[in-house]
Each structure stands twice: as C-alpha cells, then as structure tokens.
C-alpha cells in the first residue's frame, strides 16, 4: 500500500493506523434491505433534567443508519443500511474546544499521549512481529500533521506524501513546537487520542457517543438523509469546512478557511449541532470493524446498538481501533468524501493528528446520579 521508505518511517507513528482504513473500494455493493421497524419513537420528557450549558437534547428516534441508496460515495463498510432506534441524550453543541480542554488539563495536570515519552517496548506490542526499532532520535513525543507544502503527488495511495510526523506537535502546539493556541480558544482541540478523550470524559462526567448516537444527532430532525443538511451535495461548501480545490496540492479556501476553522463557523444542523460534517473527525466509543454492518441481524429491532463486539480492520490487524465520524477540513469528493453522515474511519486508541477531535454526550441518568 505504501512505498517502503514511507512505511518504515511512519508506521511507528500510527500513520497506517490513522489513515489505512480509508483504502477501500468506493464501488457500490448490493444492499440488504431491512424494513423500518415499528418502534415507539416518542421523545422522552426532559423537564426533570435541565439541559447542560453547551449541549442540546437529541430526541429518541428511529432512523436509517449506514449508507443511503442514492449515496454514490458510500463504501462497503457503510453497508447495508439498517433501521435503528436510539434513546434520547444530550450532546455537545460543538467539538470540545481548546478552552475546554485547557480547563481539564489545569484541573487534573493531565498529559496527553502526544506529549509523553515513547515507550518502544509497549509500542512494538501493537506492530508486526520483528519490526525493527527506529533510531532514538525518531522516537520522540509528537503527532501527525498535514504537510501544507506538498505541491505534487505521484500516487494517491502514498499518503506519506501529505502526512508528516512532527516532533513536538501536540494540543498546545498544533503545528509543531514553535506554534501555540494563543487566540484560538474557540477552535476544536486536536492531537488528542481516544485515551485522552476518555480521560476528559471521566473528568467532565460525560462519555463518547456511540456511532448510532452520533448518526442520530447528525440526522437532526431527519431520519434518512446523506448529509447533515439533507441530500443536496451542492450545499456542501456552505455547510461544512472541507477541502476546496485539488486535493492535496491546492486549497482554494473559497469559504475563508484554508484548514481548521473555529467552531460555529458554519450553520448548525436542524437541532442546533455545529460541525457534524467537516472541520475535524470526531471519536466515538464503538470498535471499528469493516464487517459489523454486514453481520448484523436485521430481522429484529436494533435498539441502542453499541457497535461491533471487537475491532477488525485487515489493513491494521495489530491495532485496537475505534470509529471516528464526520470527516475533516481535508475531506474532498476526489479523496474520501467523508463529510457524509454514514462515513467512518478507524483510529487506534493512541493515535492523534491535527484533524481529529471529539465531542461528548450525557444521559439524564448520568446527570442525576452526579447530583
């Protein structure tokens, strides 16, 4: 999949783990239809629990999860579409911001994975057997950043051409050690891995959404649409921060943002959630398995699904991966088209980058049990 020199240099830093799951055929496969189940979808009352600041209530509903019939960009792992019912919950209006994450770190002295010294003995447990140890000068704390200087691409499958491992890149230094987040309190926090997001959730009395919850929220008041705003692909640029131009060499920035943007820079969906498409990928709690949908039993109602029982990604067999949703500022129709509700990728529990963040959810039970 990758040129050998790129693979040797970047495998250690989870490039394959973060991006390998995008390499699947976009060819349509035959959908196994499941009829819409007759499930009570009346929204639960929320009067007993006040909506937390910065969150909105996502009503209980039954909706079509996975790729829709008219979605020409759908990948096999998104099929077949199936009806699910998800109970109501509260969700953050935006991705967790630098300001919010800064408060968490100040209260707990938490150190993110990107800031920690790399333990080769631990790392090699999740790599192919007999993987040689890289030089100590390479095994330094850091994270993946998009190479903004790439001006030509030889092979679109060679992702190492536009990704670079940056020593010293972390949530406080998003483009490397010489950069800061000063003046960027309202930007999504990035360079956070699944484990970092879990730590934040434990502190905030929140949790990560399931993939089904995430899709329910992204649908808003809809139940069967491709995008967070409906089915009109022509409205993408007005509703999401994605790549405009020729990926990855030229970004026209017609929307005013060449790369990441502050939260709430684009319209919300129908229930008041911002950036559910584009800007940064969002981590969920579900294991990533390319077989999950195809192995689902759709003969009976599917209620509050928690995802696959275990992870499975033939491209990354040694890593535990979770689903991330929503796409990012790097998404383009010619590349991954992951600004669709059903789109998903896998990310390992210790991988971060400059285009991945998260948002949290809470249930009434979580909030009342804390009182």
């Amino acid at each position: 999949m990758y040129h050998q020199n790129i693979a040797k240099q970047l495998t250690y830093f989870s490039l394959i783990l973060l991006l390998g799951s995008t390499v699947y055929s976009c060819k349509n496969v035959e959908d196994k239809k499941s009829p819409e189940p007759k499930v009570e979808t009346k929204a639960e009352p929320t009067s007993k629990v006040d909506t937390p600041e910065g969150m909105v209530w996502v009503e209980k509903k039954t909706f079509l999860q996975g790729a829709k019939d008219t979605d020409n960009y759908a990948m096999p792992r998104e099929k077949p579409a199936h009806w699910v019912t998800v109970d109501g919950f509260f969700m953050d209006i935006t991705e967790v911001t630098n300001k919010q994450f800064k408060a968490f770190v100040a209260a707990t002295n938490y150190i993110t994975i990107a800031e920690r010294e790399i333990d080769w003995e631990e790392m090699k447990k999740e790599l192919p057997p007999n993987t040689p140890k890289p030089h100590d000068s390479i095994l330094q704390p850091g994270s993946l950043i998009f190479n903004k200087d790439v001006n030509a691409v030889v092979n679109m499958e060679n992702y190492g051409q536009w990704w670079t491992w940056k020593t010293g890149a972390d949530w406080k230094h998003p483009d490397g050690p010489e950069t800061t987040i000063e003046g960027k309190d309202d930007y999504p926090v990035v360079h956070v891995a699944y484990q970092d997001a879990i730590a934040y959730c434990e502190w905030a009395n929140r949790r990560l959404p399931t993939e089904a919850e995430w899709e329910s929220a992204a649908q808003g008041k809809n139940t069967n649409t491709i995008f967070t705003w409906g089915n009109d692909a022509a409205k993408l640029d007005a509703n999401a921060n994605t790549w405009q131009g020729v990926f990855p060499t030229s970004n026209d920035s017609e929307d005013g943002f060449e790369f990441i943007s502050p939260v709430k820079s684009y319209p919300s969906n129908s229930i008041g959630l911002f950036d559910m498409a584009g800007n940064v990928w969002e981590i969920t709690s579900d294991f990533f398995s390319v077989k999950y949908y195809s192995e689902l039993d759709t003969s009976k109602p599917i209620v509050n699904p928690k995802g696959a029982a275990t992870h499975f990604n033939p491209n990354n067999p040694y890593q535990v991966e979770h689903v991330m949703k929503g796409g990012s500022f790097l998404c383009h129709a010619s590349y991954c088209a992951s600004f669709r509700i059903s789109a998903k990728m896998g990310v390992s529990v210790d991988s971060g980058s400059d285009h991945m963040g998260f948002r949290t959810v809470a249930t009434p039970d979580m909030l009342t049990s804390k009182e």
Side-chain angles (χ1 to χ4, degrees):
M1 186 195 316
Y2 298 90
H3 293 174
Q4 289 301 310
N5 59 332
I6 296 295
K8 287 179 181 179
Q9 182 179 7
L10 294 178
T11 298
Y12 309 116
F13 307 116
S14 303
L15 178 61
I16 291 176
L17 314 178
L18 181 63
L19 299 169
S21 61
T22 62
V23 190
Y24 293 94
S25 169
C26 289
K27 237 167 118 179
N28 287 330
V29 297
E30 183 179 356
D31 290 337
K32 291 183 285 187
K33 305 287 185 184
S34 59
E36 182 174 359
K38 295 180 180 179
V39 180
E40 175 61 45
T41 59
K42 183 179 179 181
E44 307 93 317
T46 61
S47 57
K48 294 182 180 179
V49 180
D50 293 334
T51 301
E53 183 179 357
M55 304 187 91
V56 296
W57 176 251
V58 182
E59 292 187 350
K60 174 180 179 179
K61 68 171 175 285
T62 299
F63 68 97
L64 192 66
Q65 183 176 12
K68 312 306 182 285
D69 288 343
T70 55
D71 186 352
N72 295 324
Y73 295 110
M75 294 185 177
R77 61 176 176 262
E78 302 169 34
K79 299 180 179 182
H82 48 281
W83 291 96
V84 301
T85 299
V86 173
D87 289 337
F89 57 94
F90 297 103
M91 176 176 259
D92 291 338
I93 292 173
T94 71
E95 299 105 343
V96 172
T97 63
N98 286 325
K99 181 178 180 179
Q100 291 170 310
F101 201 78
K102 192 185 303 181
F104 156 63
V105 170
T108 62
N109 295 317
Y110 182 81
I111 298 174
T112 62
I113 290 176
E115 299 171 275
R116 301 174 195 172
E117 293 297 322
I118 296 174
D119 185 337
W120 171 245
E121 293 303 312
E122 286 299 315
M123 178 181 285
K124 71 180 183 181
K125 294 176 183 178
E126 297 186 345
L127 295 173
N130 302 316
T131 297
K133 180 182 178 181
H135 193 273
D136 287 343
S137 63
I138 297 176
L139 285 176
Q140 299 298 318
S143 190
L144 286 169
I145 65 170
F146 177 72
N147 178 10
K148 298 176 174 65
D149 297 321
V150 60
N151 52 31
V153 171
V154 176
N155 179 353
M156 284 297 286
E157 290 189 357
N158 180 8
Y159 305 135
Q161 295 172 101
W162 58 84
W163 282 106
T164 239
W165 174 263
K166 188 72 171 181
T167 299
D170 56 48
W171 75 274
K172 292 180 292 188
H173 309 95
D175 292 315
E178 304 304 318
T179 63
T180 73
I181 55 172
E182 185 176 352
K184 294 185 176 181
D185 277 355
D186 58 347
Y187 279 67
V189 65
V190 293
H191 296 300
V192 287
Y194 173 86
Q195 294 177 0
D196 302 323
I198 292 296
Y200 176 93
C201 287
E202 291 174 351
W203 170 76
N205 189 35
R206 302 288 186 265
R207 63 172 173 79
L208 294 176
T210 65
E211 183 179 14
E213 286 173 334
W214 192 97
E215 286 203 18
S216 175
Q219 286 283 346
K221 296 179 180 178
N222 301 318
T223 59
N224 185 10
T225 55
I226 297 174
F227 308 107
T228 61
W229 57 89
N231 290 314
D232 188 353
K235 295 182 178 180
L236 172 65
D237 291 346
N239 286 277
N241 180 13
T242 59
W243 192 275
Q244 297 167 311
V246 180
F247 184 86
T249 57
S250 174
N251 191 347
D252 297 338
S253 308
E254 294 177 0
D255 56 6
F257 299 103
E258 187 175 9
F259 301 111
I260 195 170
S261 61
V263 298
K264 298 186 179 181
S265 293
Y266 294 79
S268 70
N269 74 351
S270 57
I271 59 172
L273 294 169
F274 294 85
D275 291 326
M276 294 294 282
N279 213 21
V280 296
W281 285 95
E282 300 180 11
I283 309 167
T284 73
S285 61
D286 288 22
F287 283 126
F288 179 77
S289 171
V290 299
K291 303 186 298 182
Y292 173 51
Y293 286 0
S294 63
E295 294 179 347
L296 270 176
D297 179 4
T298 58
S299 65
K300 53 187 178 183
I302 301 173
V303 181
N304 296 323
K306 305 297 184 185
T310 188
H311 57 94
F312 177 71
N313 183 353
N315 287 339
N316 300 323
Y318 300 98
Q319 292 286 328
V320 176
E321 292 186 329
H322 287 261
V323 171
M324 59 180 182
K325 302 283 289 182
S328 78
F329 61 84
L330 296 178
C331 285
H332 187 267
S334 67
Y335 171 47
C336 70
S338 291
F339 35 73
R340 300 166 296 108
I341 293 174
S342 65
K344 61 172 127 185
M345 282 176 52
V347 62
S348 65
V349 295
D350 56 358
S351 294
S353 72
D354 63 354
H355 76 148
M356 187 177 78
F358 70 105
R359 76 176 75 209
T360 73
V361 299
T363 62
D365 285 346
M366 289 173 62
L367 299 175
T368 54
S369 65
K370 188 71 174 178
E371 294 176 356

